[in-house]
Amino acid sequence: MRNRIWFVFLWISGVYQVIAQNTIEKVVDSLYKEDQFYLAVTYNLFGNRPVDLSQNGFSNGLHLGFMKDMPLNKRRNVALSIGLGYSTNSFYHNLYISQDENQVTTYDIILQSDTYTKNKFSNHIVEMPIEFRWRTSTPEEYKFWRIYTGFKLGYIFGNRVKYRGDLGDIQYNNIKVFEKFQYGLNLSFGYNTWNAYLYYALSPIFSKENQINGESIDMNNIKIGLIFYIL
């Protein structure tokens, strides 16, 4: 009798394992989508800097958002995506920005670094990235190579300029000197968790009417960092 009970138990266990295995296989999502959330940290650089203008300190950026992944082929390793995100960026530099009571802005390059302890501007941007995606993923594989490239649109909805030094403590909020509409090219590539991220702005940081010594400030933003994707 005991042997029969063990036999029935083993038979039921075997049937259960087969059913469980079939269930697992059935729930594999053949219509999967990848990398729909992202988080990036970057080091922010100036491109096309005026003579004598330099960066100091650690200029950084934080970027996060949601991407709508839309596979283009049956294997689903080629896709198009469009998203919505938020970005905050800070830039430490030696460009002194000041405004008078009529909100007229002037710019001067500080050549002596020991005359101030802080000089930066920061911004907050709502972004819309558009990407073409290639990857080696499958419905069962969560570690894969990826190359994503595309275009990013942005709108600066807030900014701050802050100076602390021999001239006192000065701060301006939401001054109208920055180019509100930002756009540029972006590229990310890597394997699994660790992915390099590059962004090159095609738009200037400052509006065209802003000048130093009669010349437009045509600086743009270059971002280098890491990006992390979440399903």
Side-chain angles (χ1 to χ4, degrees), residues 9 18 31 39 76 94 97 108 111 114 117 119-120 126 129 143 146-147 157 170 180 186 189 207:
F9 175 77
V18 171
L31 300 179
L39 171 67
R76 306 181 77 80
N94 67 337
I97 303 172
D108 294 286
L111 298 178
D114 59 350
T117 58
N119 190 44
K120 73 167 189 173
V126 59
K143 296 181 180 180
R146 60 171 65 79
I147 300 176
F157 64 88
I170 301 171
K180 284 187 173 294
N186 65 281
F189 58 92
S207 303

Side-chain angles (χ1 to χ4, degrees), residues 33-204:
K33 297 177 181 179
E34 291 287 0
D35 299 342
Q36 300 204 90
F37 294 91
Y38 67 88
L39 171 67
V41 288
T42 60
Y43 178 65
N44 298 337
L45 299 167
F46 290 143
N48 301 319
R49 294 180 306 186
V51 177
D52 295 327
L53 193 149
S54 63
Q55 291 184 247
N56 46 68
F58 185 75
S59 301
N60 59 83
L62 176 66
H63 323 271
L64 53 92
F66 172 80
M67 303 290 296
K68 176 63 175 177
D69 187 79
M70 298 173 284
L72 299 177
N73 62 343
K74 186 176 181 180
R75 184 182 167 187
R76 306 181 77 80
N77 70 320
V78 177
L80 183 69
S81 71
I82 185 169
L84 184 66
Y86 164 77
S87 173
T88 179
N89 303 273
S90 62
F91 302 84
Y92 292 85
H93 50 83
N94 67 337
L95 179 65
Y96 178 65
I97 303 172
S98 61
Q99 284 191 334
D100 61 19
E101 61 277 5
N102 297 318
Q103 295 187 338
V104 175
T105 306
T106 57
Y107 303 88
D108 294 286
I109 294 178
I110 306 172
L111 298 178
Q112 296 179 329
S113 60
D114 59 350
T115 61
Y116 63 95
T117 58
K118 178 178 288 187
N119 190 44
K120 73 167 189 173
F121 63 79
S122 57
N123 58 39
H124 301 275
I125 307 174
V126 59
E127 298 182 325
M128 186 176 72
I130 303 170
E131 294 180 345
F132 178 79
R133 296 176 155 192
W134 174 87
R135 58 206 176 209
T136 61
S137 63
T138 68
E140 300 87 4
E141 182 58 57
Y142 298 99
K143 296 181 180 180
F144 52 87
W145 291 95
R146 60 171 65 79
I147 300 176
Y148 298 164
T149 185
F151 192 77
K152 181 178 287 187
L153 302 171
Y155 178 79
I156 297 178
F157 64 88
N159 68 71
R160 175 178 295 177
V161 175
K162 195 169 186 178
Y163 168 90
R164 182 181 300 154
D166 292 352
L167 299 177
D169 289 354
I170 301 171
Q171 179 173 304
Y172 305 107
N173 294 319
N174 299 320
I175 61 175
K176 299 178 180 180
V177 298
F178 299 101
E179 184 66 44
K180 284 187 173 294
F181 290 97
Q182 296 289 307
Y183 54 91
L185 305 175
N186 65 281
L187 170 69
S188 59
F189 58 92
Y191 178 76
N192 194 19
T193 302
W194 300 97
N195 299 272
Y197 176 77
L198 303 172
Y199 170 81
Y200 185 88
L202 300 177
S203 56

